[in-house]
Amino acid sequence: VAELVAQLAQTAVARDQSGGHAASEREAIRRSGLLSLSIPEQYGGQGAGWSEVLGIVRCLAEVDSALAHVFGFHHLQLAGVLLHGGVAQHERFLIPTARDGLFWGNALNPLDQRVIGEQEDDGYRIYGVKSFSSGSVGSDFLTVSAWHRSSGTALSAAVPTARAGVTVNPDWDAFGQRQTDSGTVRFDNVRIEADDVLQRPGGVATPRATLRSQIAQLVMTNLYLGIAQGALSQARHYLQTEAKPWFDAGVSEAAEDPYVQEQFGEFSLKIRAAQVLADLAGAALDAALEQGDALTAQQRGELAVSGAQAKVLSHRAALDVASAIFEITGARSTAARFGFDRFWRNARVHTLHDPVIYKVRDLGRHAIDGRLPDPTAYS
Amino acid sequence: VAELVAQLAQTAVARDQSGGHAASEREAIRRSGLLSLSIPEQYGGQGAGWSEVLGIVRCLAEVDSALAHVFGFHHLQLAGVLLHGGVAQHERFLIPTARDGLFWGNALNPLDQRVIGEQEDDGYRIYGVKSFSSGSVGSDFLTVSAWHRSSGTALSAAVPTARAGVTVNPDWDAFGQRQTDSGTVRFDNVRIEADDVLQRPGGVATPRATLRSQIAQLVMTNLYLGIAQGALSQARHYLQTEAKPWFDAGVSEAAEDPYVQEQFGEFSLKIRAAQVLADLAGAALDAALEQGDALTAQQRGELAVSGAQAKVLSHRAALDVASAIFEITGARSTAARFGFDRFWRNARVHTLHDPVIYKVRDLGRHAIDGRLPDPTAYS
Amino acid sequence: VAELVAQLAQTAVARDQSGGHAASEREAIRRSGLLSLSIPEQYGGQGAGWSEVLGIVRCLAEVDSALAHVFGFHHLQLAGVLLHGGVAQHERFLIPTARDGLFWGNALNPLDQRVIGEQEDDGYRIYGVKSFSSGSVGSDFLTVSAWHRSSGTALSAAVPTARAGVTVNPDWDAFGQRQTDSGTVRFDNVRIEADDVLQRPGGVATPRATLRSQIAQLVMTNLYLGIAQGALSQARHYLQTEAKPWFDAGVSEAAEDPYVQEQFGEFSLKIRAAQVLADLAGAALDAALEQGDALTAQQRGELAVSGAQAKVLSHRAALDVASAIFEITGARSTAARFGFDRFWRNARVHTLHDPVIYKVRDLGRHAIDGRLPDPTAYS
Amino acid sequence: VAELVAQLAQTAVARDQSGGHAASEREAIRRSGLLSLSIPEQYGGQGAGWSEVLGIVRCLAEVDSALAHVFGFHHLQLAGVLLHGGVAQHERFLIPTARDGLFWGNALNPLDQRVIGEQEDDGYRIYGVKSFSSGSVGSDFLTVSAWHRSSGTALSAAVPTARAGVTVNPDWDAFGQRQTDSGTVRFDNVRIEADDVLQRPGGVATPRATLRSQIAQLVMTNLYLGIAQGALSQARHYLQTEAKPWFDAGVSEAAEDPYVQEQFGEFSLKIRAAQVLADLAGAALDAALEQGDALTAQQRGELAVSGAQAKVLSHRAALDVASAIFEITGARSTAARFGFDRFWRNARVHTLHDPVIYKVRDLGRHAIDGRLPDPTAYS
């Protein structure tokens, strides 16, 4: 991991500016073997717990939160296969993924109901477009959701990106997280076979099945934390190597300015509190996954509360620290070659996945009378 | 503990208003056996770790933070005897304390150098007054510090409160923490025998010996947390039993107001982050104490960082929640009979023990280059 | 005014602690002639604009926010007579008030519908109790509202406090604003004559008639500001005369501590912003009153926006500064004799008149599309 | 102005992305006649007060804060000529500026002492480089400062950009304010004639002469405000035309979400408070300039306090609103074509001119004992 981090760091500023598809960096991830990290050993993977995966997301995001997202969402798709698929599907999808180092992308955005699924024999035919499809560009497999009109619910499936009728349009053009390969995927009457289907429409999800959204939330949480840590780390380095004390501060080193010390203290508090809560939520996720089908709605809900606590504080730590470090590093640190603005831009784009205020609301409901967050694609 | 909490809760509002010495509540604590909690088993105590003591401080402070302070500072004095005294002193002081349920008070305020100690044979003679002496009223023993002019340092000792020349003046008159028995103690040429002395002037403290201030800080941290939890708990109860929705909120229950839910969410986040950091610091304290004399300055410093993180967030949680709950509970909740203002008053008085901004500064210094807090009576 | 302020200041701490009715201080206000300040000159008053009245509320509240409230709400009742009554009522009520220095109290709390009014000839008969009746104890006249069931609206009237059937119960027992004489008034079938009636039930209020709630809001706004200013003033004085620098601050005067300076800077910013907005709202109120019946709903709404801006910032300034000054003044400043906690207690109790978050909401609605606050008793 | 704003707005997003020199937009400003706005009528200008200039800075900055800076700093240089030059210089520099629509740039950065001035006859010879020279690219005249070693002070002068030895290097490469033409200017033994000199080294500045830094601060203040207003305006427009309500909000329009309304309320409060303080500071600047040489140090200091209040709140409003609007506008609004991130990037770069915390400190010193900010290039 350290080697991969070092490699990503070398070009992160330049790649942030160019945007587009990070082909060679994705190859580096592939070569690192980390694509099989969360795959159970019986399918040829490394059988790591999610805490470990999340720790690596955090670590990668310190230097490159776009590729950290590609990495994290790859594993999220695998988790979907494990949670929603049967054993035959586990074998069929995970064994080649581990063996050949395949990348999975996300075409599941559940608020986007423009992909329609219609029953056809024992499978489905799907058509329409799905935006915000993270990691779809350059992927080998996609997890996709399609709206099933007659039941008013969605189905989900795993399909090879190369399947006939699937077109990935690399049109992601946000001001941050620029290399997440979050293209738009068009499905032109794509055939979904019965054994591609992970979730049929109208089914009732068990508590365990709803863990997927909790994993997604924790991938983001740790990604935000990594951004915050990366911003702080760059500010610390700049302070020690480049910053000059303010002429009126009465100190000989910028690091001795009492206001600089105070601000670093505040940064570290924001980050530390979020880290600790994220670690607890990660451990709670591991425990919930170990429960398997015995997981109760109460246990699942408590995990969601723990995750929401970590998410809100990580969200705020990332945005606040990424914006405020400049008060320390000053005007010269805004030169484009440093690329310090990418922390804020990346945090700002990614923290909009779902509105943080509704996480605060969910925490409030829980604090009032123990009400647990409703299991949704976002909570 | 639960029984004690229930008993203290019954009269907490009334006793906050009357102030003064809570004789019968102190008797209840004595009867509970909790005075020997932190005393090692070989001296007749219960041998509990500090994490457990701190948990009880937090719990008592939910309903009565003044007596939680008396309780916590009693054990802090015992910790001083253990950390600074020899085995003979441990036996001499702790065995009767455990056996007879004796109370210890604090006369150690180190910024107050008005008590002077002068050498006399192998002991000392001390004179002068010491304010902010928590738990001194009604105590059986005191830990006292005296300024030793010739060395420019202080000595500390344990003395029976009944010793000739010791006068406790119950003059504590703050607007909060009104029953902490924090009187002024006058010492009129009080004889300190050689075997009363815990720390002689001019000595160099080992990392272990400096743990006392960390224990003191964590007692306060957990006390603040208890206040925050108590305020939230009262607000929750009031919300569910008394509060009416605002006429313009468009909801039938106050608890369904989206702004009420948001505010509870913020309260719970502040408290949760502080709790988790306080729990970690408590565990770090247990680990540091187990190290004994092998404790390094680095380990001691890392405990101080962990403690400072918990202290700052607990300080803020207590003040913020204690003031903001009224936005939820509304005008009618300000009736004196509820006593809801005592949470803010208690938090406000107690959080002034040492300036929180200097804790933030210490955290900033650590975040910049790993610098550890200087071991002082406050850090 | 300066003389009155000085007189109130002398005993403010003691009277805050005793609570109850401030008979001699009310006499001092009466003697000062300020009770006729807002009464037009043709009725024997001084014809001052509301900006001036509000300035005096702010000034009195620096030292005694309870009596500032009694003073401000006295004039609010007079404004109600002027806005809602006819010329004959102006003469009948205002001439004796100016001539004899009469006090008016408030029994109008509109969310409390327990006082019922039933038509009787051309007048009404009213019965029931009204709580939160500011200034009712010791008043000569009351403005009262009564719920008129058949129309589902309220009527309002002016009645002498001495009228048969009116009983004022001095039961106000909040932890702050302790001398506002906000008792509970019981009406036992009190006769309301036709010429006592200010607003008949079911009427449609003109924009001008709805100005009363804006006046009430601005009385509170300026009262909060006075509390904030008073707290800052006391902190400044204590800092310069009593405070010692923190031992680790490296400065010889507390006022030279960079963190103390920073915190004073923040206090002054909060207060200054609120002051400027309150001054603008006061001027806007004067302008609106000068418009008379020509006042449009748009103009009235813009005044409400201006007032809401001032109110929110004053609310926050009062609470924040009143709580945070202690970070500067420290532990010794919590002695009851200073009475510094009364600023927070007074601010906390009074700022609960109506929930500030709904003012923020109203400002948000206006910022989004220019929507004006609905004219209610609170906006 | 409105026409100019509309023209700048059309291409602002594209020009932010390309960066570089906005030649045709500078021509548009030239054609608008606004370059002579602050020039007294006797020199062919429009004689506008600074309040008016600042209002236009604010207005331009809503859509294009880079060109607003070029515009504002052009007038700042003219103010320097007026404040520091004699009547002959006023005529020599201002008449052609007004007549021919000449642009002035800034080469005055006083913390950068790499440009050295050495006396030569009755003039000077200057050499070295000056970075952060706003508006230097494409300028007709420059105001330049040079360090005079023997006196340990600086001299300042006005020189045509075309003078021999002056080279402007368009190397500005920050992540925001990308078209401010803030190049590096190299001076290769540039001759400064006696009548070019505005301030000789070692002189004692009158209060009036020190107004230049106050003007500079207010240009920035109004620029920040414009950014905040622009961000809010875009968010409002997006909310009304593009935003969808959150699926769990229970409302049919995003603008009806209570949390959206709350957040807009907070935005409007931040901006409104800053606006009002900026307006007051602008009026105070006009009054100070009208005082001429009669301006006292006290009056100058009070202006500095007023300006600092406005600057701190504008700084915070710009950064906070520019970052937080995305909580309202959501993920789709991060598409590069909207360019909404430029508000934060522009605010972040420009607010680093001098550290805002030292403005807060200055306000604190003033709040404590009336101490006025020291007149410097930044206060």
Side-chain angles (χ1 to χ4, degrees):
Chain A
V1 174
E3 198 179 317
L4 182 60
V5 166
Q7 183 176 345
L8 294 178
Q10 275 185 341
T11 53
V13 171
R15 288 183 294 105
D16 164 63
Q17 284 172 5
S18 63
H21 183 61
S24 75
E25 284 71 24
R26 288 178 66 137
E27 276 313 302
I29 295 175
R30 197 189 302 268
R31 278 195 311 273
S32 73
L34 290 170
L35 293 181
S36 70
L37 189 65
S38 69
I39 297 177
E41 294 181 356
Q42 67 262 41
Y43 306 129
Q46 303 173 54
W50 262 95
S51 283
E52 190 179 338
V53 177
L54 295 171
I56 293 174
V57 169
R58 199 189 294 182
C59 201
L60 296 178
E62 276 202 42
V63 299
D64 187 336
S65 55
L67 286 168
H69 180 67
V70 170
F71 170 80
F73 263 47
H74 161 80
H75 285 288
L76 173 63
Q77 312 313 313
L78 302 185
V81 171
L82 282 162
L83 291 168
H84 303 150
V87 171
Q89 290 175 309
H90 296 171
E91 290 175 353
R92 186 178 141 227
F93 292 120
L94 301 183
I95 289 174
T97 297
R99 185 187 58 219
D100 303 331
L102 303 184
F103 263 108
W104 286 65
N106 184 57
L108 268 169
N109 174 3
L111 290 186
D112 182 353
Q113 301 178 351
R114 292 174 300 162
V115 173
I116 304 298
E118 294 180 359
Q119 181 129 18
E120 196 181 64
D121 312 328
D122 56 347
Y124 296 88
R125 192 172 48 83
I126 69 174
Y127 54 91
V129 297
K130 185 76 81 178
S131 54
F132 290 116
S133 295
S134 300
S136 60
V137 184
S139 67
D140 303 294
F141 274 97
L142 290 170
T143 319
V144 58
S145 72
W147 189 245
H148 184 254
R149 281 167 174 158
S150 58
S151 68
T153 63
L155 66 98
S156 73
V159 294
T161 312
R163 181 166 293 178
V166 176
T167 315
V168 176
N169 182 12
D171 59 356
W172 172 247
D173 186 30
F175 62 72
Q177 291 294 83
R178 287 167 54 72
Q179 292 200 318
T180 54
D181 290 320
S182 299
T184 300
V185 184
R186 200 174 76 236
F187 298 91
D188 292 315
N189 290 316
V190 174
R191 170 69 191 177
I192 304 292
E193 304 295 341
D195 60 358
D196 295 334
V197 179
L198 297 172
Q199 292 178 299
R200 290 198 174 264
V204 175
T206 63
R208 175 171 174 270
T210 66
L211 287 179
R212 190 185 186 279
S213 63
Q214 289 306 308
I215 298 176
Q217 292 286 315
L218 283 174
V219 168
M220 287 180 272
T221 297
N222 282 278
L223 192 142
Y224 304 164
L225 258 177
I227 292 175
Q229 292 174 185
L232 185 66
S233 166
Q234 292 293 304
R236 183 192 297 119
H237 182 254
Y238 190 94
L239 175 69
Q240 291 177 329
T241 56
E242 306 257 356
K244 295 192 179 65
W246 182 238
F247 82 96
D248 199 20
V251 294
S252 57
E253 297 291 329
E256 291 303 311
D257 184 325
Y259 298 130
V260 168
Q261 295 178 346
E262 178 191 12
Q263 288 174 86
F264 260 87
E266 297 291 356
F267 299 160
S268 74
L269 273 167
K270 284 178 205 266
I271 292 176
R272 179 66 179 151
Q275 281 170 337
V276 169
L277 290 172
D279 289 345
L280 286 176
L285 173 60
D286 284 349
L289 287 167
E290 275 166 33
Q291 288 278 87
D293 286 327
L295 186 76
T296 65
Q298 178 71 25
Q299 291 169 324
R300 192 271 177 205
E302 287 167 8
L303 169 62
V305 168
S306 177
Q309 291 167 340
K311 178 117 180 286
V312 176
L313 293 196
S314 297
H315 173 120
R316 293 176 180 174
L319 283 173
D320 291 355
V321 174
S323 185
I325 52 168
F326 293 96
E327 305 285 354
I328 305 290
T329 56
R332 287 183 191 278
S333 73
T334 65
R337 72 176 179 282
F338 293 117
F340 288 170
D341 59 318
R342 75 187 197 280
F343 297 109
W344 179 84
R345 286 187 289 103
N346 290 336
R348 187 61 288 185
V349 167
H350 213 138
T351 49
L352 299 173
H353 180 271
D354 54 280
V356 70
I357 189 76
Y358 281 91
K359 289 271 173 298
V360 178
R361 182 203 66 175
D362 284 354
L363 291 174
R365 288 175 170 179
H366 179 255
I368 290 171
D369 59 7
R371 175 173 171 185
L372 297 170
D374 301 326
T376 74
Y378 300 94
S379 61
Chain B
V1 174
E3 198 180 315
L4 183 60
V5 165
Q7 182 175 346
L8 295 178
Q10 275 184 342
T11 53
V13 170
R15 287 182 293 106
D16 164 64
Q17 283 171 7
S18 64
H21 183 62
S24 75
E25 285 71 24
R26 288 179 67 137
E27 276 313 302
I29 295 176
R30 197 190 302 269
R31 279 196 312 274
S32 74
L34 289 171
L35 293 181
S36 71
L37 188 66
S38 69
I39 297 178
E41 294 180 356
Q42 66 262 43
Y43 306 129
Q46 304 173 53
W50 262 95
S51 283
E52 190 178 340
V53 178
L54 295 171
I56 293 173
V57 168
R58 199 189 296 182
C59 201
L60 296 179
E62 276 201 43
V63 300
D64 187 337
S65 54
L67 286 168
H69 179 67
V70 170
F71 170 79
F73 263 47
H74 162 80
H75 285 288
L76 174 63
Q77 312 314 314
L78 301 185
V81 170
L82 282 162
L83 291 168
H84 302 152
V87 171
Q89 290 175 309
H90 296 171
E91 290 176 353
R92 185 175 143 232
F93 293 122
L94 302 182
I95 289 173
T97 297
R99 186 188 58 220
D100 303 331
L102 304 184
F103 262 108
W104 286 64
N106 185 55
L108 267 169
N109 175 2
L111 290 185
D112 182 352
Q113 300 178 352
R114 293 175 299 162
V115 173
I116 304 298
E118 293 179 0
Q119 182 130 18
E120 197 182 62
D121 312 330
D122 56 349
Y124 296 87
R125 192 171 49 82
I126 68 174
Y127 55 91
V129 297
K130 185 75 81 179
S131 54
F132 290 116
S133 294
S134 300
S136 59
V137 183
S139 66
D140 302 292
F141 275 97
L142 290 171
T143 318
V144 60
S145 72
W147 189 245
H148 183 254
R149 282 168 174 158
S150 59
S151 67
T153 63
L155 67 96
S156 73
V159 294
T161 311
R163 182 167 293 178
V166 176
T167 315
V168 176
N169 182 12
D171 58 357
W172 172 247
D173 185 30
F175 62 72
Q177 291 292 85
R178 287 166 55 71
Q179 293 199 317
T180 55
D181 291 319
S182 300
T184 299
V185 185
R186 199 173 76 234
F187 298 90
D188 292 315
N189 289 317
V190 174
R191 170 70 190 176
I192 304 294
E193 303 295 341
D195 59 359
D196 295 334
V197 178
L198 296 172
Q199 292 178 300
R200 291 198 173 264
V204 175
T206 62
R208 175 172 175 269
T210 67
L211 287 179
R212 190 185 187 279
S213 63
Q214 289 307 308
I215 298 175
Q217 292 285 317
L218 283 173
V219 168
M220 287 180 271
T221 296
N222 282 279
L223 191 142
Y224 304 163
L225 257 176
I227 292 175
Q229 292 173 184
L232 185 66
S233 166
Q234 292 293 303
R236 183 191 299 119
H237 183 253
Y238 190 95
L239 176 69
Q240 292 176 329
T241 55
E242 306 258 357
K244 295 193 180 64
W246 182 238
F247 82 96
D248 198 20
V251 295
S252 58
E253 296 291 329
E256 290 303 312
D257 184 325
Y259 298 131
V260 168
Q261 294 179 346
E262 178 191 13
Q263 288 174 87
F264 261 86
E266 297 291 354
F267 299 160
S268 74
L269 272 168
K270 284 178 205 266
I271 291 175
R272 179 63 179 152
Q275 281 170 337
V276 169
L277 290 172
D279 289 344
L280 286 176
L285 173 60
D286 284 349
L289 287 167
E290 275 167 31
Q291 288 278 87
D293 286 326
L295 186 76
T296 65
Q298 178 70 25
Q299 291 169 324
R300 191 272 179 205
E302 286 166 9
L303 168 62
V305 168
S306 177
Q309 291 166 341
K311 179 118 178 285
V312 176
L313 293 196
S314 298
H315 173 120
R316 293 177 180 172
L319 282 172
D320 291 355
V321 174
S323 185
I325 51 168
F326 293 97
E327 305 285 354
I328 304 291
T329 56
R332 287 183 192 278
S333 73
T334 65
R337 73 178 179 279
F338 293 118
F340 288 171
D341 59 319
R342 76 188 197 279
F343 297 109
W344 178 85
R345 286 187 287 101
N346 290 336
R348 186 62 287 186
V349 167
H350 212 138
T351 50
L352 300 173
H353 179 271
D354 55 280
V356 71
I357 189 77
Y358 281 91
K359 288 270 173 297
V360 177
R361 183 204 65 175
D362 284 355
L363 291 174
R365 288 176 170 179
H366 181 254
I368 290 171
D369 59 7
R371 176 174 171 183
L372 298 170
D374 301 326
T376 73
Y378 300 95
S379 61
Chain C
V1 175
E3 198 179 316
L4 182 60
V5 166
Q7 182 176 345
L8 294 178
Q10 274 184 342
T11 53
V13 170
R15 287 182 293 106
D16 164 63
Q17 284 171 8
S18 63
H21 183 61
S24 75
E25 285 70 23
R26 288 179 68 136
E27 275 313 303
I29 295 176
R30 198 190 301 268
R31 279 196 313 274
S32 74
L34 290 171
L35 293 181
S36 71
L37 188 66
S38 69
I39 296 177
E41 294 180 356
Q42 67 262 42
Y43 306 129
Q46 303 173 53
W50 261 96
S51 283
E52 190 178 340
V53 177
L54 295 171
I56 292 174
V57 168
R58 200 189 296 183
C59 200
L60 296 179
E62 277 202 43
V63 300
D64 187 336
S65 55
L67 286 167
H69 180 67
V70 170
F71 170 80
F73 263 46
H74 162 79
H75 286 288
L76 173 63
Q77 312 315 313
L78 302 185
V81 170
L82 282 162
L83 291 168
H84 303 151
V87 171
Q89 290 174 309
H90 296 171
E91 290 175 353
R92 185 175 144 232
F93 291 121
L94 301 182
I95 289 173
T97 297
R99 185 186 60 218
D100 303 331
L102 304 184
F103 263 108
W104 286 64
N106 186 56
L108 267 169
N109 175 3
L111 291 186
D112 182 353
Q113 301 179 351
R114 293 174 297 162
V115 173
I116 303 299
E118 293 180 359
Q119 183 130 17
E120 197 181 61
D121 312 329
D122 56 349
Y124 296 88
R125 191 171 49 82
I126 69 174
Y127 54 91
V129 296
K130 185 76 81 177
S131 55
F132 290 115
S133 294
S134 300
S136 59
V137 184
S139 66
D140 302 293
F141 274 98
L142 289 171
T143 319
V144 59
S145 72
W147 189 244
H148 183 254
R149 282 168 174 159
S150 59
S151 67
T153 63
L155 67 97
S156 73
V159 294
T161 312
R163 181 166 294 179
V166 176
T167 316
V168 176
N169 182 12
D171 59 356
W172 173 246
D173 185 30
F175 62 73
Q177 292 291 86
R178 288 166 54 71
Q179 293 199 317
T180 54
D181 290 320
S182 299
T184 300
V185 185
R186 200 174 76 235
F187 298 91
D188 292 315
N189 289 317
V190 173
R191 170 70 190 177
I192 304 294
E193 304 295 341
D195 59 359
D196 296 333
V197 179
L198 297 172
Q199 293 179 299
R200 291 198 173 265
V204 175
T206 63
R208 175 172 174 269
T210 67
L211 287 179
R212 191 184 187 280
S213 63
Q214 289 306 308
I215 297 175
Q217 292 286 316
L218 283 173
V219 169
M220 287 180 270
T221 296
N222 282 278
L223 191 143
Y224 304 163
L225 257 177
I227 292 175
Q229 293 174 183
L232 185 66
S233 167
Q234 291 293 304
R236 183 192 298 119
H237 182 254
Y238 190 94
L239 176 68
Q240 291 177 329
T241 56
E242 305 259 357
K244 295 192 180 66
W246 182 239
F247 82 96
D248 199 19
V251 296
S252 57
E253 297 290 330
E256 291 303 312
D257 184 326
Y259 297 130
V260 168
Q261 295 178 346
E262 179 191 10
Q263 288 173 86
F264 261 86
E266 297 292 354
F267 298 160
S268 74
L269 272 167
K270 283 178 205 266
I271 292 175
R272 178 64 178 153
Q275 282 170 336
V276 169
L277 290 173
D279 289 345
L280 286 176
L285 173 60
D286 284 349
L289 288 167
E290 275 166 32
Q291 288 278 88
D293 286 327
L295 186 76
T296 66
Q298 178 70 25
Q299 290 169 325
R300 192 270 178 206
E302 287 167 7
L303 168 63
V305 169
S306 177
Q309 292 167 340
K311 178 119 179 285
V312 176
L313 293 196
S314 298
H315 173 120
R316 293 178 180 173
L319 282 173
D320 291 354
V321 173
S323 185
I325 52 168
F326 292 97
E327 304 285 353
I328 304 291
T329 56
R332 287 183 191 279
S333 72
T334 64
R337 72 178 179 281
F338 294 118
F340 288 171
D341 60 318
R342 76 187 196 280
F343 298 108
W344 178 84
R345 286 188 288 102
N346 290 336
R348 186 62 288 185
V349 167
H350 212 137
T351 49
L352 299 173
H353 179 271
D354 55 280
V356 70
I357 188 76
Y358 281 91
K359 289 270 174 297
V360 177
R361 183 203 65 173
D362 284 354
L363 291 174
R365 287 176 170 179
H366 180 254
I368 290 171
D369 59 8
R371 175 173 170 184
L372 298 170
D374 300 327
T376 73
Y378 300 94
S379 61
Chain D
V1 174
E3 198 179 316
L4 182 60
V5 165
Q7 184 176 345
L8 294 178
Q10 275 184 341
T11 54
V13 170
R15 288 182 292 105
D16 165 63
Q17 284 171 8
S18 64
H21 183 61
S24 74
E25 284 71 23
R26 288 179 66 137
E27 275 313 302
I29 295 176
R30 196 190 302 268
R31 277 196 311 274
S32 74
L34 290 171
L35 293 181
S36 71
L37 188 66
S38 70
I39 297 177
E41 294 180 356
Q42 66 263 42
Y43 306 130
Q46 303 173 55
W50 261 95
S51 282
E52 190 179 339
V53 177
L54 295 171
I56 293 173
V57 168
R58 199 189 295 182
C59 201
L60 297 178
E62 276 201 43
V63 299
D64 187 337
S65 55
L67 286 167
H69 179 67
V70 170
F71 170 79
F73 263 47
H74 161 80
H75 285 288
L76 174 63
Q77 312 314 312
L78 302 184
V81 170
L82 282 162
L83 291 168
H84 302 151
V87 171
Q89 290 175 310
H90 295 171
E91 290 176 352
R92 186 177 140 228
F93 292 121
L94 301 182
I95 289 174
T97 298
R99 185 187 58 219
D100 303 332
L102 304 185
F103 262 108
W104 286 66
N106 185 55
L108 268 170
N109 174 2
L111 289 186
D112 182 352
Q113 300 177 352
R114 293 174 299 162
V115 173
I116 304 298
E118 293 181 359
Q119 180 130 19
E120 196 182 63
D121 311 329
D122 56 348
Y124 296 87
R125 191 172 49 83
I126 68 173
Y127 54 92
V129 297
K130 186 76 81 178
S131 54
F132 290 115
S133 294
S134 300
S136 59
V137 184
S139 66
D140 302 294
F141 274 98
L142 290 171
T143 318
V144 59
S145 73
W147 189 245
H148 183 253
R149 283 169 174 157
S150 58
S151 68
T153 62
L155 67 96
S156 73
V159 293
T161 312
R163 181 167 293 179
V166 176
T167 315
V168 176
N169 182 12
D171 59 356
W172 173 247
D173 186 30
F175 61 72
Q177 291 293 83
R178 287 167 53 73
Q179 293 200 317
T180 54
D181 291 320
S182 300
T184 300
V185 184
R186 199 175 77 235
F187 297 91
D188 292 315
N189 290 317
V190 174
R191 170 69 191 176
I192 303 294
E193 304 295 341
D195 59 358
D196 295 334
V197 179
L198 296 172
Q199 292 178 301
R200 291 198 173 264
V204 175
T206 62
R208 176 171 174 270
T210 67
L211 287 178
R212 190 184 186 280
S213 63
Q214 289 307 308
I215 298 175
Q217 292 286 315
L218 283 173
V219 168
M220 287 180 272
T221 297
N222 283 277
L223 192 142
Y224 304 163
L225 259 176
I227 292 174
Q229 292 173 185
L232 185 66
S233 166
Q234 291 293 303
R236 183 192 298 118
H237 182 253
Y238 190 94
L239 175 68
Q240 291 177 328
T241 57
E242 306 259 356
K244 296 191 179 66
W246 182 238
F247 82 95
D248 199 19
V251 295
S252 57
E253 297 290 329
E256 291 303 312
D257 184 325
Y259 297 131
V260 168
Q261 294 178 346
E262 178 191 13
Q263 288 174 85
F264 260 87
E266 297 292 354
F267 299 161
S268 74
L269 272 167
K270 283 179 205 266
I271 291 176
R272 179 65 178 151
Q275 282 170 336
V276 169
L277 290 172
D279 289 345
L280 285 175
L285 173 60
D286 285 349
L289 287 167
E290 275 166 32
Q291 287 279 87
D293 286 326
L295 186 76
T296 65
Q298 178 70 26
Q299 291 169 324
R300 191 271 179 205
E302 287 166 7
L303 169 63
V305 169
S306 177
Q309 291 167 340
K311 178 116 178 287
V312 176
L313 293 196
S314 298
H315 173 120
R316 293 177 180 173
L319 282 173
D320 291 356
V321 174
S323 185
I325 51 168
F326 293 96
E327 305 286 353
I328 305 291
T329 57
R332 287 182 191 279
S333 72
T334 65
R337 72 177 179 282
F338 293 118
F340 289 171
D341 60 318
R342 75 188 198 280
F343 298 108
W344 178 84
R345 286 187 288 101
N346 290 335
R348 186 62 289 186
V349 167
H350 213 138
T351 49
L352 298 174
H353 179 271
D354 55 278
V356 70
I357 188 77
Y358 281 90
K359 289 271 173 297
V360 177
R361 183 204 64 175
D362 285 355
L363 291 174
R365 288 175 170 180
H366 180 255
I368 290 171
D369 59 8
R371 175 173 170 184
L372 298 170
D374 301 325
T376 73
Y378 300 95
S379 62

